[in-house]
Amino acid sequence: MRIDIITCLPKLLESPFNQSILHRAQTKGLVEVKIHDLRDYAINKHQQVDDYAYGVGAGMVLMIEPLDKCISNLQKERDYDEIIFMTPDGETFDQRSANTLSLMKNIIIICGHYKGIDERVREHFVTKEISIGDYVLSGGELAAAVVSDAIIRLVPGVLSDETSALTDSFQDGLLAPPVYSRPADYKGMKVPDVLLSGNDAKIEEWRLEKAMERTKQRRPDLYKKLFPDKKD
Ligand code: 6GU
């Protein structure tokens, strides 16, 4: 899969994609992430990419021309499944959206300023608008990194079997159960006996029970959705 991210703050995005799993996904050739500096498509030698909003005065808006140039340039090279705009008024991102997007071949993600981008870009180029939650960030960059991370780790081959995405919180609708590592007894704080028993069936049963308990306690909304008929 290929992800093209358009931003005026490319530095803000470099580090997340050059560490750990996201970095490995790229060096393995499973995912290609290209960050495009919108200033390379500026309308003048002052590197201008934003301007005052008509009729409002205060607040800069990303102009249509640099975005059009950048997007059109990319579309000359390949077809895109989605052109996504990161915005707090988009649809709220969740694991289901991540699953869907992880199946795409090419996507563009546009990061906006907090005052937004020219509405004509949204009307004529953007095919999907995503928010990562009900709060306001200064720009779409960090949200784009969040969404890309959630997508990329689902691409087959990115995670090894033992860290498989299938055991994640939310993948089966439940929160993940607790995990422990050595030592089995740390200053009297003990790892549950069942995990040391070597009985795989018993361990699985315990993990499911804990996942259900945790979901019911912390996310009653999810629990009700999964078990609408359950009384206790
Ligand atoms: Cl995608 N962008 C901005 N600027 N703020 C947000 C957001 C996105 N999602 C939640 N808050």
Side-chain angles (χ1 to χ4, degrees), residues 201-218:
K202 271 264 176 304
I203 290 173
E204 256 332 287
E205 192 183 316
W206 180 89
R207 284 171 51 82
L208 180 60
E209 185 190 310
K210 289 293 167 192
M212 295 196 30
E213 200 177 289
R214 192 162 265 199
T215 309
K216 189 175 164 199
Q217 225 168 47
R218 299 183 182 202

Side-chain angles (χ1 to χ4, degrees), residues 5 35 63 77 89 134 143 169 185:
I5 305 181
I35 296 166
M63 302 163 88
E77 300 300 322
D89 54 19
D134 289 342
S169 273
D185 183 340

